Amino acid sequence: MELFQAKDHYILQQGERALWCSRRDGGLQLRPATDLLLAWNPICLGLVEGVIGKIQLHSDLPWWLILIRQKALVGKLPGDHEVCKVTKIAVLSLSEMEPQDLELELCKKHHFGINKPEKIVPSPDDSKFLLKTFTHIKSNVSAPNKKKVKESKEKEKLERRLLEELLKMFMDSESFYYSLTYDLTNSVQRQSTGERDPRPLWQKVDDRFFWNKYMIQDLTEIGTPDVDFWILPIIQGFVQIEELVVNYNESSDDEKSSPETPPQESTCVDDIHPRFLVALISRRSRHRAGMRYKRRGVDKNGNVANYVETEQLIHVHNHTLSFIQTRGSVPVFWSQVGYRYNPRPRLDKSEKDTIAYFCAHFEEQLKIYKKQVIINLVDQAGREKIIGDAYLKQVLLFNSSHLTYVSFDFHEHCRGMKFENVQTLTDAIYDIILDMKWCWVDQAGVICKQEGIFRVNCMDCLDRTNVVQAAIARVVMEQQLKKLGVMPPEQPLPVKCNRIYQIMWANNGDSISRQYAGTAALKGDFTRTGERKLAGVMKDGVNSANRYYLNRFKDAYRQAVIDLMQGIPVTEDLYSIFTKEKEHEALHKENQRSHQELISQLLQSYMKLLLPDDEKFHGGWALIDCDPSLIDATHRDVDVLLLLSNSAYYVAYYDDEVDKVNQYQRLSLEDLEKIEIGPEPTLFGKPKFSCMRLHYRYKEASGYFHTLRAVMRNPEEDGKGRAVNLTKTSLASDLKTKALWHREKIF
């Protein structure tokens, strides 16, 4: 659709329809397309994909109109329904201010041969108004008015911060999805009960997941059929759609390729082998929405934080099978004060004061899903125990035959990175999984329905929860495929199918984690590959530290934007946050210095711990493992401590979360075959870093190597390229003096 700018309005137009948005009061009005002739000097700014809604970031400031500037096709669901992801938005101030360059795609009708849209030349009166700066105002006002100018500046500064967070929410996380023809808010089962419903799509959606409901409220209140075209329900969550081929004769030659982007041949179609479509749809509730340390537990309406419904959908021929699970914060009143690393959880209300709200939560859940099987993954000892105990007490007080409670101490059972032990849980609840069934529909209608759901939770309902939900969903999918005759009764899922399936669930975990905690899911490497890698342990420590930083400096603004999107008043004093910005920046710099001191201390400590007395320490480095077979090796923290002695080098993997080295490898310098230095190996795009590959023999066999690069630091502190040069010169030079240096080679 085309976007026009006139003096008093922004006008969206497609075909014979037009939506006029007032630049004076933010009002929305439906008008025929021919009324464009009545607008004052309309200029086409370009093309947009749809309307998300309006938002006001401060009561004294104008409204902003949010439009979809760019979309990406995710795939097609059964029935040829396209699902799109919002990748870029345009934000327009509904005021008389001139818009910034929106970088819209230009329409061929109005911009043939023109690279950029014309800008409206304001009238002399408008120019005078725009030329007035705060400097001019300050020189012509009295002292009391200067105070008002200062307040106005603070409001505008706050608005800029919130606007930045709004843009990041939509454009960095890529977590908003929509379909013009398919109801993404409702599961297959809920949709199958409302067949032949003549109402427009937006009136049939599940209110819990209609994320832009408040922002589009001005349109939904118009109440005429003409408005249906402009109302686009958007969900926050995750959608991935893949086609898989069941081929047991395929080789696993692609094991060395990146799990993030499986090779093209894994999805090729072979008429001999059955194929099926699998989709993963996660819908994040708009109720009690927010960030990790800002929203915990239950509220007074029975809504819980980080509530997500995840549907796994399989389509084979004319059969569509759906299985849903939910996750959500423990429904008691609890919190964590987020201004310290890994804060201790605490209960905010007594057992008695919590009962009514716990009941409200589960009464609604049972009304929707009929039965609930709670899978509680919190630790049964230590700091998490207080939350797990409170949960169990409330379940016992609720005393419902439709509620089943299962406790599984994830960390205890999977101690030592043995996440495959999750199968202990799936084996124990196998009969419950089968009894729950799943939704199954074909062209004739509903064959069977899912009876109840698994409600899985840990403390954050992120990392542990995603691993367990993926394991349960896999059991269900294998049963479904066997029922349909796609898989032999005694065979597991083929290697390539399983690999893509694991990637989908890992991507789902990462997406939900970014929305709630600001970083990718911990333990994501296990979900992707089925095994826990040391590099994944390193990333977990980095992500935990990132979550802490994001909470301290960013979450307040992000939470405010989420609240404003849902029409909830912002209660936190945001002014006090950015007025203390210098204090925060100084603290962050101090943290950086402390981090460098920590690295130095680590190197010294583990030099003494790992090196025997007869070895001489030559140096140590904090490095990143950037092996091409690993995922997301671009974080900026310590993964590996590389220690060099006169007779060996040590690769020690450091876990930031528990503050210790989990495992290490000692390699004799005699087994070091060669060192290569060159661009970081990458499957896509240009390499961003230089790195070093150490080739070594293991048990007299060649072909083993470590690929490492330096931790990138602040260029202002270290000087551009210094970290890389440190690796190339110091370490390589030391190894060269041991007569083991081979000629540099670019790989």
Side-chain angles (χ1 to χ4, degrees):
M1 62 185 67
E2 298 163 308
L3 173 64
F4 293 88
Q5 177 190 354
K7 181 181 179 182
D8 297 325
H9 294 86
Y10 286 110
I11 303 168
L12 291 157
Q13 185 167 310
Q14 182 165 329
E16 298 179 355
R17 303 178 177 91
L19 177 65
W20 288 47
C21 310
S22 172
R23 298 176 63 185
R24 296 188 182 276
D25 60 13
L28 301 177
Q29 185 181 12
L30 299 179
R31 298 177 65 167
T34 52
D35 279 7
L36 185 65
L37 300 172
L38 305 177
W40 188 86
N41 189 25
I43 299 295
C44 181
L45 300 178
L47 300 175
V48 295
E49 300 292 340
V51 181
I52 294 175
K54 296 190 314 179
I55 190 170
Q56 189 177 29
L57 300 176
H58 193 283
S59 58
D60 295 334
L61 293 170
W63 287 84
W64 292 83
L65 179 67
I66 310 172
L67 306 172
I68 301 173
R69 174 159 64 100
Q70 194 174 94
K71 66 179 181 182
L73 178 65
V74 175
K76 292 184 179 181
L77 291 172
D80 213 31
H81 298 288
E82 291 188 348
V83 178
C84 296
K85 174 169 59 178
V86 178
T87 55
K88 292 183 180 179
I89 62 170
V91 184
L92 292 167
S93 175
L94 296 180
S95 67
E96 296 181 350
M97 293 171 53
E98 287 298 303
Q100 61 182 16
D101 185 6
L102 300 175
E103 300 180 356
L104 300 180
E105 179 186 347
L106 303 182
C107 73
K108 296 178 181 178
K109 183 165 65 175
H110 297 101
H111 297 282
F112 181 74
I114 301 175
N115 292 325
K116 289 206 171 185
E118 302 173 44
K119 289 189 177 180
I120 293 179
V121 179
S123 66
D125 291 339
D126 291 337
S127 298
K128 287 178 183 178
F129 175 78
L130 293 172
L131 287 172
K132 282 187 177 182
T133 63
F134 287 121
T135 306
H136 295 138
I137 296 171
K138 284 167 69 177
S139 62
N140 292 290
V141 295
S142 60
N145 286 335
K146 287 183 180 180
K147 183 179 179 181
K148 291 182 180 179
V149 171
K150 182 179 178 182
E151 291 175 354
S152 179
K153 277 188 173 182
E154 287 184 346
K155 288 176 185 176
E156 291 192 351
K157 183 179 178 182
L158 176 59
E159 186 181 43
R160 283 197 302 272
R161 287 295 180 85
L162 295 175
L163 194 60
E164 287 173 7
E165 284 301 315
L166 177 68
L167 292 168
K168 287 177 183 177
M169 269 191 71
F170 278 93
M171 292 163 64
D172 289 356
S173 65
E174 294 189 350
S175 60
F176 291 92
Y177 298 82
Y178 69 92
S179 173
L180 297 175
T181 58
Y182 188 84
D183 183 2
L184 288 175
T185 70
N186 273 305
S187 65
V188 170
Q189 183 158 314
R190 290 198 296 272
Q191 291 186 53
S192 66
T193 60
E195 290 182 12
R196 299 178 183 175
D197 189 337
R199 293 179 299 167
L201 180 66
W202 69 271
Q203 291 183 8
K204 296 183 285 188
V205 297
D206 190 320
D207 182 75
R208 297 174 296 168
F209 309 119
F210 188 176
W211 252 76
N212 57 328
K213 179 181 179 180
Y214 176 78
M215 292 186 285
I216 209 81
Q217 188 174 347
D218 283 5
L219 286 178
T220 59
E221 291 176 349
I222 290 177
T224 62
D226 293 343
V227 80
D228 297 340
F229 173 81
W230 299 101
I231 300 175
L232 187 62
I234 290 175
I235 66 165
Q236 186 185 36
F238 174 77
V239 181
Q240 186 170 346
I241 304 168
E242 298 287 345
E243 185 179 70
L244 305 185
V245 179
V246 180
N247 180 4
Y248 288 97
N249 299 319
E250 61 193 357
S251 64
S252 56
D253 295 339
D254 61 317
E255 288 302 313
K256 294 182 180 178
S257 62
S258 168
E260 188 70 38
T261 51
Q264 192 64 33
E265 68 264 24
S266 65
T267 58
C268 67
V269 176
D270 185 342
D271 293 335
I272 300 174
H273 305 292
R275 50 178 172 149
F276 63 96
L277 179 142
V278 58
L280 207 56
I281 304 172
S282 281
R283 312 168 176 102
R284 185 172 165 84
S285 175
R286 66 186 183 88
H287 301 304
R288 196 156 176 73
M291 303 305 292
R292 183 193 192 198
Y293 288 117
K294 301 296 180 182
R295 293 291 182 269
R296 292 288 207 191
V298 71
D299 66 13
K300 293 185 177 180
N301 295 314
N303 301 309
V304 295
N306 200 25
Y307 183 89
V308 181
E309 179 188 82
T310 300
E311 179 178 22
Q312 181 175 279
L313 186 151
I314 290 172
H315 184 72
V316 183
H317 303 303
N318 295 319
H319 295 264
T320 301
L321 296 86
S322 158
F323 184 76
I324 57 176
Q325 303 178 74
T326 62
R327 68 178 77 189
S329 190
V330 174
V332 299
F333 290 95
W334 66 281
S335 61
Q336 284 177 285
V337 179
Y339 291 99
R340 52 171 296 205
Y341 188 68
N342 194 18
R344 185 175 293 276
R346 68 185 185 191
L347 293 174
D348 297 325
K349 284 185 182 291
S350 68
E351 180 182 295
K352 182 179 178 181
D353 292 338
T354 301
I355 293 173
Y357 309 105
F358 182 92
C359 291
H361 173 72
F362 274 106
E363 283 169 359
E364 184 197 31
Q365 294 297 297
L366 294 175
K367 182 180 179 181
I368 298 170
Y369 301 111
K370 310 306 179 188
K371 296 179 182 178
Q372 295 262 303
V373 179
I374 297 169
I375 308 290
N376 184 16
L377 305 175
V378 303
D379 296 348
Q380 294 173 20
R383 62 173 60 203
E384 295 183 3
K385 186 177 186 298
I386 186 176
I387 304 300
D389 289 349
Y391 197 179
L392 177 57
K393 287 178 183 177
Q394 290 294 330
V395 170
L396 294 173
L397 290 168
F398 189 65
N399 192 24
S400 170
S401 60
H402 299 295
L403 206 61
T404 303
Y405 181 88
V406 178
S407 181
F408 182 79
D409 191 328
F410 187 96
H411 288 148
E412 179 64 29
H413 285 86
C414 302
R415 187 183 298 275
M417 303 189 297
K418 301 294 184 181
F419 290 174
E420 62 273 17
N421 290 346
V422 168
Q423 188 174 345
T424 305
L425 172 63
T426 55
D427 288 346
I429 62 172
Y430 185 76
D431 290 340
I432 298 176
I433 296 174
L434 296 186
D435 289 343
M436 193 172 286
K437 303 178 185 176
W438 51 79
C439 178
W440 185 351
V441 299
D442 64 7
Q443 290 178 321
V446 179
I447 297 173
C448 74
K449 292 184 177 182
Q450 182 175 339
E451 299 175 359
I453 60 160
F454 288 101
R455 185 198 191 278
V456 188
N457 73 273
C458 50
M459 291 296 284
D460 299 330
C461 304
L462 296 176
D463 316 314
R464 291 170 275 180
T465 297
N466 202 66
V467 171
V468 169
Q469 284 194 335
I472 294 172
R474 175 177 169 163
V475 172
V476 172
M477 184 173 73
E478 289 184 347
Q479 289 296 319
Q480 290 171 334
L481 294 176
K482 289 172 183 177
K483 283 277 188 183
L484 292 167
V486 176
M487 275 176 57
E490 303 302 324
Q491 288 276 13
L493 199 64
V495 173
K496 287 187 179 179
C497 288
N498 184 55
R499 186 164 169 267
I500 297 171
Y501 173 79
Q502 287 173 327
I503 292 167
M504 292 177 71
W505 271 97
N507 291 342
N508 176 69
D510 284 350
S511 183
I512 294 171
S513 181
R514 289 190 189 98
Q515 293 158 28
Y516 188 50
T519 62
L522 311 184
K523 306 170 183 65
D525 58 319
F526 175 78
T527 314
R528 291 177 193 278
T529 65
E531 53 185 65
R532 187 68 167 141
K533 294 185 177 180
L534 286 170
V537 177
M538 303 309 111
K539 285 182 286 183
D540 283 4
V542 173
N543 285 339
S544 292
N546 284 344
R547 288 180 183 179
Y548 165 68
Y549 172 79
L550 287 168
N551 168 65
R552 186 172 187 113
F553 296 102
K554 304 290 184 183
D555 279 8
Y557 298 112
R558 178 65 60 89
Q559 185 64 56
V561 169
I562 292 171
D563 287 344
L564 291 167
M565 288 173 67
Q566 304 306 327
I568 301 170
V570 177
T571 56
E572 187 164 0
D573 185 5
L574 298 176
Y575 290 109
S576 66
I577 294 175
F578 66 71
T579 52
K580 295 179 180 178
E581 185 175 6
K582 290 183 179 179
E583 177 185 330
H584 289 169
E585 289 176 354
L587 181 61
H588 181 50
K589 289 180 180 179
E590 180 62 32
N591 288 342
Q592 286 181 318
R593 285 192 293 269
S594 299
H595 184 66
Q596 296 305 318
E597 292 172 4
L598 173 62
I599 291 173
S600 178
Q601 292 170 6
L602 284 170
L603 292 171
Q604 293 296 323
S605 299
Y606 284 101
M607 177 268 293
K608 297 175 182 177
L609 182 65
L610 299 180
L611 271 63
D613 294 336
D614 59 347
E615 288 187 24
K616 184 179 179 182
F617 180 61
H618 276 267
W621 296 264
L623 303 174
I624 299 283
D625 192 326
C626 55
D627 190 296
S629 67
L630 303 179
I631 301 166
D632 187 24
T634 58
H635 48 70
R636 301 184 179 186
D637 217 306
V638 179
D639 274 359
V640 174
L641 301 178
L642 182 63
L643 306 177
L644 176 65
S645 77
N646 60 326
S647 58
Y649 73 92
Y650 296 75
V651 179
Y653 291 89
Y654 173 69
D655 187 339
D656 219 350
E657 194 168 6
V658 298
D659 193 21
K660 67 179 182 181
V661 165
N662 273 20
Q663 297 187 29
Y664 73 94
Q665 189 175 5
R666 180 188 185 278
L667 295 156
S668 171
L669 291 181
E670 294 178 356
D671 291 326
L672 183 63
E673 295 184 314
K674 64 179 176 179
I675 302 173
E676 297 175 328
I677 294 180
E680 178 184 22
T682 179
L683 294 175
F684 301 96
K686 295 181 179 179
K688 295 181 179 179
F689 307 104
S690 292
C691 65
M692 167 181 67
R693 180 173 286 173
L694 306 176
H695 292 260
Y696 65 92
R697 292 188 304 273
Y698 179 68
K699 294 183 179 179
E700 303 301 320
S702 299
Y704 296 90
F705 57 84
H706 290 110
T707 306
L708 308 169
R709 70 166 174 82
V711 178
M712 299 304 293
R713 300 175 184 170
N714 189 334
E716 294 178 1
E717 295 178 5
D718 287 348
K720 188 175 181 180
R722 177 180 171 189
V724 173
N725 289 334
L726 174 69
T727 303
K728 291 179 69 175
T729 58
S730 302
L731 179 56
S733 176
D734 280 345
L735 294 174
K736 185 177 179 181
T737 60
K738 307 298 178 295
L740 292 165
W741 173 258
H742 291 248
R743 203 171 68 137
E744 284 190 11
K745 175 183 176 184
I746 302 298
F747 40 80

